[in-house]
Amino acid sequence: EDPSWEYVPDTAVQQPETKEKKRTGERRHCKWCAKYKPDRCHHCRVCKTCILKMDHHCPWIYNCVGFRNHKFFFLLLLYSASACNFITITMIPTVESAVQQNSAFAQMFLVLFAETLSAFLGILITFFFFFHIWLTFQAMTTIEFCEKNTKNQSYGSSVHDRGINGNIRAVLGDWILLWLLPVSPPSGNGTNFNASRPQL
């Protein structure tokens, strides 16, 4: 809401400096919101607003994953993958006993269906979670990954890289003891990203 982000072409007003620029060298701006875009900001057509450090629009949570809720989405993947894999592993004896005892068809079908569903979701969410771990280590969002993929650029280094420790803190927050709890999101305002490596 800072007036310095208002998109006013050909103006002499001092504007915040950003690293990301258009090919022409001009600052990025949103034609729908009529504001300059901070680094890593993208407009979501579903939410009809610009999202700070936008990762993607998630249909499962019916919201965008960005600066303010990236930690909570990351933890959702962790908890979901853990729960599905736990259910899959602990249901194996139940499936074996249902098959060996020639249980009723309905009971056997429900047990096998539940095991198959939990295994499928567990594998899918686990791969998605590992992908997001890799993105966190690389200091990238899903949108930045897709942009590099379409432009055939290497995934080696990001201009926002702060080292593995700094990259994890940029997603999970500054307090290591609270990383696995849905509290204490990362510090900052989402409009500028310090490339310096924080102290341990």
Side-chain angles (χ1 to χ4, degrees):
E1 299 302 323
D2 188 337
S4 62
W5 292 104
E6 295 292 331
Y7 176 56
V8 184
D10 304 323
T11 182
V13 176
Q14 180 66 30
Q15 299 155 351
E17 189 60 35
T18 57
K19 291 182 180 179
E20 297 175 1
K21 300 195 184 298
K22 291 182 174 182
R23 291 179 188 164
T24 60
E26 295 177 301
R27 293 192 51 215
R28 296 167 57 236
H29 68 275
C30 180
K31 58 187 173 185
W32 291 285
C33 297
K35 293 188 185 254
Y36 285 108
K37 288 184 182 179
D39 289 334
R40 311 180 96 177
C41 181
H42 295 276
H43 185 87
C44 177
R45 293 182 183 175
V46 179
C47 297
K48 296 181 173 46
T49 187
C50 283
I51 308 296
L52 295 173
K53 194 185 169 192
M54 182 174 176
D55 190 83
H56 68 286
H57 181 87
C58 181
W60 302 106
I61 63 173
Y62 194 63
N63 200 356
C64 278
V65 176
F67 176 73
R68 307 235 183 260
N69 63 354
H70 195 177
K71 174 179 182 172
F72 307 114
F73 178 76
F74 189 88
L75 292 179
L76 172 70
L77 292 180
L78 170 65
Y79 301 153
S80 301
S82 301
C84 286
N85 290 323
F86 177 78
I87 291 168
T88 301
I89 292 167
T90 56
M91 273 190 66
I92 291 173
T94 306
V95 172
E96 288 175 349
S97 69
V99 170
Q100 289 172 356
Q101 294 175 3
N102 291 326
S103 302
F105 175 77
Q107 181 183 0
M108 200 180 318
F109 173 79
L110 289 174
V111 168
L112 287 172
F113 178 75
E115 177 72 1
T116 305
L117 185 63
S118 66
F120 174 74
L121 286 175
I123 291 169
L124 195 68
I125 294 171
T126 300
F127 278 119
F128 194 52
F129 176 59
F130 283 135
F131 173 66
H132 273 272
I133 290 174
W134 181 80
L135 287 177
T136 299
F137 287 168
Q138 300 297 315
M140 268 194 289
T141 63
T142 304
I143 290 178
E144 291 166 351
F145 171 81
C146 293
E147 286 175 348
K148 286 190 175 196
N149 195 19
T150 56
K151 294 176 184 173
N152 293 325
Q153 296 176 347
S154 68
Y155 302 113
S157 62
S158 168
V159 294
H160 306 290
D161 188 16
R162 303 186 326 187
I164 291 180
N165 179 44
N167 294 342
I168 293 171
R169 288 174 189 264
V171 173
L172 298 180
D174 297 325
W175 299 96
I176 190 169
L177 296 176
L178 301 177
W179 279 359
L180 300 182
L181 298 175
V183 295
S184 183
S187 58
N189 58 10
T191 58
N192 48 28
F193 301 91
N194 185 7
S196 65
R197 297 173 185 239
Q199 298 291 326
L200 281 176

